[in-house]
Amino acid sequence: MFYYQTAISNNPLKAYFTYRSELLLKPGTRVIVNFGRKKKQLAYIVKQIPKEACPDGIEIKEIDQIIDETPLIHEDYFSLIVWTADFYLSPPGKVFDLVFKTLGNAPLETPTKKGENQKTIEKNKGSLTKTGLKKKRFVVNAPLNNLSNQRLSQQGMDIIQYLMFFPDANLQEIIRSLELKSITPVQTLIKNNVLTVEEYATDNRGLPDPQKVILSSEQKKIVIDFFKSFDEGKLEHLLYGITGSGKTEVYFEIMDEILSKTQQILFMLPEISLTPQLIKRTKARFPGKTIAVYHSNLTKSMRRKVFTQAVHSDIDILLGTRSSVWLPLKRLGLIVVDEEHDESFMQSENKPVYDARRVVYKLCELKKIPVIFGSATPSVESYYEASTGKMQLHTLKYRPKGLQLPEVSNVNLSKIPVIKGFLTNEVLKGIEETVKKDGQCMILTGKKGFASYVTCGVCGYTIKCPNCDVSLTYHKGEGDLRCHYCGYSQPFVSQCPSCSNNSLVPRGFGSERVEEQLQKLFPDLRIIRIDRDIAPNTQELEKAWKIIERRQVDVVVGTRMISKGLDFPDVQLVVILNADHMLYFPDFRSTERTFSLIHQMSGRAGRARKEAKVILQSYSPDEDPIRFAEKNDFESFFNSEIKKRKLGDYPPFKRIILFESKDPDPDKSLERLKALKKSLEKQNDASLFQILGPVEAFIKKLSGKYRYHMLLKMDNDNDIISKVKDILRENDKHLSKISIIIDPIRTII
């Protein structure tokens, strides 16, 4: 009889549970066990233990069922899971679920052989010709959130999901990729008007030129230096390049060499919205390679298919968001983390908490493969590690073809008259001149909606969310007030609930209001708004990007969605309406976020045309983040910021652990942290750490629960961190209803 420690799927406890079996099982094997009230529960084998190591006085149950004949993950991924659970003090079962959630307790499917797939295509060849679909592509007519009304089959949903990320796919590609047995599911979608058929354009179906781009001498040097330093044992690399400097082409050149050795590539992005453009470029650059896309918004069957491809090594390049790091790629030879500064790589709202960038670090260490972190505005921690030699630094200082960074105008709103509180004459003149030159404009605003809040002009009462300690945002198009945290909404009425006067007035501005005002001022211009109301899913975003690419719009108004890594060659003017709107949040990264947003947004201009311009509007033009962003000077911003971080004892010089307690009863929420603090103070041997708080969270109430926070600060020393974590494990009883975030991205959440 063999005895095993197991991790129970979806279990919130930070513990392993012992079971027995007559069979010898390897770590990572999925099994079914009897656990608690649930008779059948998915579990994962962690390690074999001797009988004498089993807990005393407890009946050791036998494993009911073994799902996998052999583990689906390799030893390095198993080690990564165990390390992540330990590093982030997370429930091990929930970390295993990050890998296996697409399969659950189902056995792994056997992929269709390529020969069989080809027979399917050949069998349908005649009917393809008859239906006239052979040289056509498909356009999805309805938004994804409306498709539920169509009562689509699972195959139908898979086809729609596939077309979102491969919009230029023809019928043969759909059949091959989704392993359809016939074209009937596609024909059904056409019959029901979910899909329409469109002939291919004559410009290589909208794809970029598949020929290699000739690298500049600066780009070539980075490729050479990368492989040289990798041969010398350097695994971690930071590619810092100004916006539009050709970082993607450097990635591609390095990827080409890795692929030639029959190794695989994991290319990670922070946002799903960035994938369509990158997919087109990647397919054009590597036409003979199998490219897969993975993220949490795919349908379950699509995620299962990509997982199966990964296990069977049927993927050459995997493009994905943070969840893609958990797909087991046996031949993985390189990881690229683009836009590495982006906070979307951190999962902190859901358990288990983890930072995909740190997980990537560990995976590369386990596999002994290189990783490239790339950004025009690297995180302060990453650039510090590169400047101190922990990572290899590569720098792109110039845009190709002699293109320059755009001219930046820093407008002080406190000294210049504005229209409707957010438009200056310089902005209006800039829009006119840009459109006359046949260029496009992008205008960034901080929030979606029409007005940030609604207040009474008589008594000053502000309408707040009943579930959260925030004001409701006015959405004029739908005529309602909404909470952007919990989703609560109510109709907008002019009568004040406090004084009964008809005097409620919208204040502030969002993307909806900016769009309306510009349409009034420029009635002949084609204006599009892009935010989560207009583009709630990837499909709608892809439509918006195509409208911009096809020059069917003059002005784009949007939220942060339009600032991230997008490449539109005709954008000549970028306007940032409220450049300092994040600057004064009580968080030590507020200045970094402000600089990054301004610099990233500025980089959307002048990527293929000269004489581009950026207009920054703010009330704080002399603050460091805005002043250095005006000069496109990241190095000076970093030098200024790193001094402040050291003076304030913040990362990278200190490490932070954030504790959050939340409860419908505010007293209970606070008391949990007070009890934890009291216990930790007794065990704080030789002042290992500093305790800050507990205090009310920045937003005290969210979704009906009152929130309190507490911070631990400690030296950035592995031995100290290990001792602190040991103390926290001893206090597990206090932590059962408290969330722990190791190295939080935000100290206000």
Side-chain angles (χ1 to χ4, degrees), residues 195-261:
L195 293 182
T196 54
V197 185
E198 180 182 280
E199 288 194 10
Y200 287 130
T202 57
D203 60 346
N204 195 26
R205 296 185 291 158
L207 296 177
D209 189 341
Q211 295 181 357
K212 285 187 179 182
V213 173
I214 298 175
L215 299 185
S216 66
S217 57
E218 189 182 38
Q219 290 171 318
K220 288 178 182 177
K221 184 178 184 304
I222 289 176
V223 175
I224 294 169
D225 289 347
F226 169 83
F227 284 108
K228 181 181 178 182
S229 59
F230 175 49
D231 289 340
E232 294 170 352
K234 203 75 174 180
L235 298 181
E236 297 90 10
H237 300 257
L238 177 64
L239 175 54
Y240 158 57
I242 63 170
T243 53
S245 58
K247 292 185 288 297
T248 303
E249 293 305 330
V250 172
Y251 300 148
F252 282 175
E253 193 71 18
I254 294 171
M255 288 164 60
D256 210 2
E257 177 66 23
I258 299 295
L259 290 167
S260 70
K261 299 175 182 177

Side-chain angles (χ1 to χ4, degrees), residues 582-690:
M582 294 188 300
L583 186 57
Y584 298 110
F585 275 72
D587 186 286
F588 73 94
R589 285 195 173 92
S590 292
T591 50
E592 180 181 356
R593 290 189 194 101
T594 299
F595 177 88
S596 179
L597 179 62
I598 295 172
H599 193 72
Q600 291 285 341
M601 190 65 217
S602 300
R604 300 314 108 209
R607 298 176 78 90
R609 292 186 178 199
K610 296 181 179 180
E611 300 178 2
K613 186 175 182 179
V614 176
I615 301 175
L616 306 180
Q617 294 189 163
S618 77
Y619 291 95
S620 313
D622 297 324
E623 292 290 337
D624 282 355
I626 297 174
R627 187 165 53 89
F628 290 127
E630 176 190 358
K631 300 175 183 177
N632 294 304
D633 189 351
F634 172 78
E635 286 90 347
S636 293
F637 168 74
F638 170 79
N639 291 331
S640 168
E641 184 67 12
I642 202 71
K643 292 176 183 176
K644 296 174 184 175
R645 295 280 186 94
K646 189 169 186 178
L647 188 64
D649 281 341
Y650 283 109
F653 303 102
K654 294 284 186 177
R655 296 285 291 278
I656 292 175
I657 299 177
L658 171 67
F659 302 94
E660 180 182 66
S661 175
K662 52 188 177 181
D663 197 280
D665 184 332
D667 293 334
K668 288 182 180 179
S669 180
L670 178 59
E671 285 305 315
R672 287 193 199 110
L673 288 181
K674 285 184 175 179
L676 174 62
K677 179 178 181 178
K678 187 175 180 180
S679 179
L680 292 177
E681 286 176 334
K682 291 179 181 178
Q683 297 170 276
N684 191 7
D685 181 43
S687 299
L688 285 171
F689 49 82
Q690 177 187 6

Side-chain angles (χ1 to χ4, degrees), residues 487-716:
Y488 170 84
S489 67
Q490 67 183 51
F492 171 71
V493 293
S494 59
Q495 186 178 37
C496 175
S498 178
C499 68
S500 299
N501 286 297
N502 291 320
S503 52
L504 288 180
V505 182
R507 301 289 188 190
F509 65 92
S511 54
E512 188 180 358
R513 189 169 192 170
V514 175
E515 178 194 27
E516 180 185 277
Q517 187 62 34
L518 287 173
Q519 202 67 74
K520 289 179 180 178
L521 294 168
F522 301 101
D524 297 329
L525 294 189
R526 299 167 298 174
I527 301 173
I528 186 175
R529 170 164 57 95
I530 301 178
D531 55 34
R532 288 297 177 195
D533 291 335
I534 294 295
N537 54 58
T538 310
Q539 178 196 354
E540 296 303 310
L541 273 174
E542 173 67 5
K543 288 181 181 178
W545 302 150
K546 283 186 176 181
I547 289 172
I548 300 170
E549 287 175 345
R550 293 170 180 169
R551 296 300 317 278
Q552 295 172 332
V553 65
D554 303 306
V555 180
V556 180
V557 176
T559 54
R560 294 185 66 181
M561 295 169 69
I562 66 174
S563 72
K564 299 185 178 185
L566 298 166
D567 190 350
F568 298 111
D570 294 311
V571 174
Q572 284 185 273
L573 174 68
V574 162
V575 178
I576 303 174
L577 292 178
N578 46 350
D580 52 359
H581 82 279
M582 294 188 300
L583 186 57
Y584 298 110
F585 275 72
D587 186 286
F588 73 94
R589 285 195 173 92
S590 292
T591 50
E592 180 181 356
R593 290 189 194 101
T594 299
F595 177 88
S596 179
L597 179 62
I598 295 172
H599 193 72
Q600 291 285 341
M601 190 65 217
S602 300
R604 300 314 108 209
R607 298 176 78 90
R609 292 186 178 199
K610 296 181 179 180
E611 300 178 2
K613 186 175 182 179
V614 176
I615 301 175
L616 306 180
Q617 294 189 163
S618 77
Y619 291 95
S620 313
D622 297 324
E623 292 290 337
D624 282 355
I626 297 174
R627 187 165 53 89
F628 290 127
E630 176 190 358
K631 300 175 183 177
N632 294 304
D633 189 351
F634 172 78
E635 286 90 347
S636 293
F637 168 74
F638 170 79
N639 291 331
S640 168
E641 184 67 12
I642 202 71
K643 292 176 183 176
K644 296 174 184 175
R645 295 280 186 94
K646 189 169 186 178
L647 188 64
D649 281 341
Y650 283 109
F653 303 102
K654 294 284 186 177
R655 296 285 291 278
I656 292 175
I657 299 177
L658 171 67
F659 302 94
E660 180 182 66
S661 175
K662 52 188 177 181
D663 197 280
D665 184 332
D667 293 334
K668 288 182 180 179
S669 180
L670 178 59
E671 285 305 315
R672 287 193 199 110
L673 288 181
K674 285 184 175 179
L676 174 62
K677 179 178 181 178
K678 187 175 180 180
S679 179
L680 292 177
E681 286 176 334
K682 291 179 181 178
Q683 297 170 276
N684 191 7
D685 181 43
S687 299
L688 285 171
F689 49 82
Q690 177 187 6
I691 304 177
L692 302 176
V695 296
E696 290 181 356
F698 182 66
I699 301 175
K700 182 178 180 180
K701 185 183 179 185
L702 273 184
S703 300
K705 292 184 178 181
Y706 293 89
R707 310 185 310 144
Y708 286 85
H709 287 166
M710 188 169 76
L711 289 179
L712 290 193
K713 267 188 182 182
M714 66 212 77
D715 288 339
N716 193 356

Side-chain angles (χ1 to χ4, degrees), residues 17-286:
F17 299 87
T18 306
Y19 287 84
R20 60 189 173 89
S21 174
E22 294 180 353
L23 298 176
L24 181 61
L25 303 175
K26 293 183 178 179
T29 302
R30 290 178 301 154
V31 297
I32 300 294
V33 299
N34 284 324
F35 181 80
R37 295 180 180 178
K38 294 182 179 179
K39 291 185 177 181
K40 303 291 184 181
Q41 181 70 28
L42 177 65
Y44 310 96
I45 299 296
V46 177
K47 68 177 179 179
Q48 182 187 347
I49 60 173
K51 184 177 181 180
E52 53 269 24
C54 295
D56 295 329
I58 297 176
E59 179 191 356
I60 307 300
K61 296 179 183 178
E62 190 164 357
I63 291 171
D64 276 2
Q65 179 187 342
I66 298 167
I67 300 173
D68 306 316
E69 293 182 8
T70 57
L72 302 182
I73 56 174
H74 319 298
E75 184 180 340
D76 41 24
Y77 280 95
F78 174 81
S79 299
L80 181 69
I81 294 168
V82 174
W83 174 87
T84 301
D86 179 70
F87 184 88
Y88 287 103
L89 300 176
S90 294
K94 285 185 175 287
V95 181
F96 271 96
D97 287 342
L98 291 170
V99 178
F100 292 105
K101 62 184 176 183
T102 59
L103 291 183
N105 57 6
L108 185 71
E109 300 168 3
T110 302
T112 304
K113 295 180 181 178
K114 291 183 179 180
E116 293 175 359
N117 217 26
Q118 188 60 37
K119 287 178 183 178
T120 302
I121 295 173
E122 292 297 327
K123 183 179 178 181
N124 286 291
K125 201 167 186 179
S127 61
L128 294 178
T129 305
K130 290 176 184 176
T131 56
L133 302 179
K134 188 176 180 183
K135 294 183 179 180
K136 312 273 182 165
R137 65 178 171 190
F138 307 95
V139 177
V140 182
N141 294 325
L144 183 64
N145 53 1
N146 292 341
L147 290 175
S148 57
N149 300 328
Q150 302 279 347
R151 296 184 180 179
L152 299 180
S153 65
Q154 185 60 59
Q155 281 187 328
M157 285 300 296
D158 287 348
I159 292 167
I160 298 300
Q161 189 84 62
Y162 183 80
L163 286 171
M164 283 183 195
F165 292 93
F166 298 94
D168 298 300
N170 59 30
L171 186 57
Q172 291 186 355
E173 290 171 332
I174 294 171
I175 288 176
R176 182 174 63 250
S177 298
L178 298 181
E179 298 172 3
L180 301 180
K181 294 180 180 179
S182 72
I183 64 171
T184 302
V186 179
Q187 290 175 323
T188 301
L189 292 174
I190 295 170
K191 182 180 178 181
N192 294 334
N193 201 34
V194 177
L195 293 182
T196 54
V197 185
E198 180 182 280
E199 288 194 10
Y200 287 130
T202 57
D203 60 346
N204 195 26
R205 296 185 291 158
L207 296 177
D209 189 341
Q211 295 181 357
K212 285 187 179 182
V213 173
I214 298 175
L215 299 185
S216 66
S217 57
E218 189 182 38
Q219 290 171 318
K220 288 178 182 177
K221 184 178 184 304
I222 289 176
V223 175
I224 294 169
D225 289 347
F226 169 83
F227 284 108
K228 181 181 178 182
S229 59
F230 175 49
D231 289 340
E232 294 170 352
K234 203 75 174 180
L235 298 181
E236 297 90 10
H237 300 257
L238 177 64
L239 175 54
Y240 158 57
I242 63 170
T243 53
S245 58
K247 292 185 288 297
T248 303
E249 293 305 330
V250 172
Y251 300 148
F252 282 175
E253 193 71 18
I254 294 171
M255 288 164 60
D256 210 2
E257 177 66 23
I258 299 295
L259 290 167
S260 70
K261 299 175 182 177
T262 68
Q263 292 180 302
Q264 298 166 300
I265 310 290
L266 172 58
F267 197 121
M268 296 179 66
L269 292 158
E271 294 280 354
I272 298 170
S273 61
L274 302 182
T275 51
Q277 277 198 340
L278 184 64
I279 288 168
K280 288 183 179 180
R281 294 182 68 178
T282 308
K283 286 181 72 176
R285 181 65 170 79
F286 304 101

